[in-house]
Amino acid sequence: MKEILRTNDPVLLSAVVALLDGAGIDHLVLDQNMSVLEGSIGILPRRLLVPDTVVRVAQGLLRDAGLGHELRPDVG
């Protein structure tokens, strides 16, 4: 699994998850429940991971959706 996105924006995360779901790409969102520790102020980013075998496909999907600037630059 590789992290392709890290964000504090729940709307962005929801949109990306919907794109991945629509394309049938498996994914895992980490740190969603950290809001309990941070007091729900949104300072801890959520991380989105996809299997190594579909990293490029997932990145292409996000680029095509105009979200390429949100991708982690060190993954690929």
Side-chain angles (χ1 to χ4, degrees), residues 28-66:
L28 179 63
V29 178
L30 300 179
D31 305 323
Q32 272 189 312
N33 297 320
M34 291 303 290
S35 63
V36 172
L37 296 176
E38 69 180 20
S40 298
I41 57 176
I43 57 172
L44 297 175
R46 284 29 170 196
R47 297 176 290 151
L48 182 77
L49 287 74
V50 297
D52 296 353
T53 56
V54 295
V55 167
R56 293 212 187 279
V57 174
Q59 289 173 325
L61 181 67
L62 268 60
R63 283 188 187 99
D64 290 347

Side-chain angles (χ1 to χ4, degrees), residues 7-32:
T7 185
N8 292 346
D9 184 344
V11 175
L12 171 63
L13 185 60
S14 178
V16 171
V17 165
L19 284 170
L20 295 173
D21 283 343
I25 297 174
D26 290 331
H27 58 277
L28 179 63
V29 178
L30 300 179
D31 305 323
Q32 272 189 312

Side-chain angles (χ1 to χ4, degrees), residues 2-5 55-56 59 63 72-76:
K2 297 238 191 242
E3 179 184 341
I4 63 165
L5 178 79
V55 167
R56 293 212 187 279
Q59 289 173 325
R63 283 188 187 99
R72 302 282 299 165
D74 54 347
V75 178

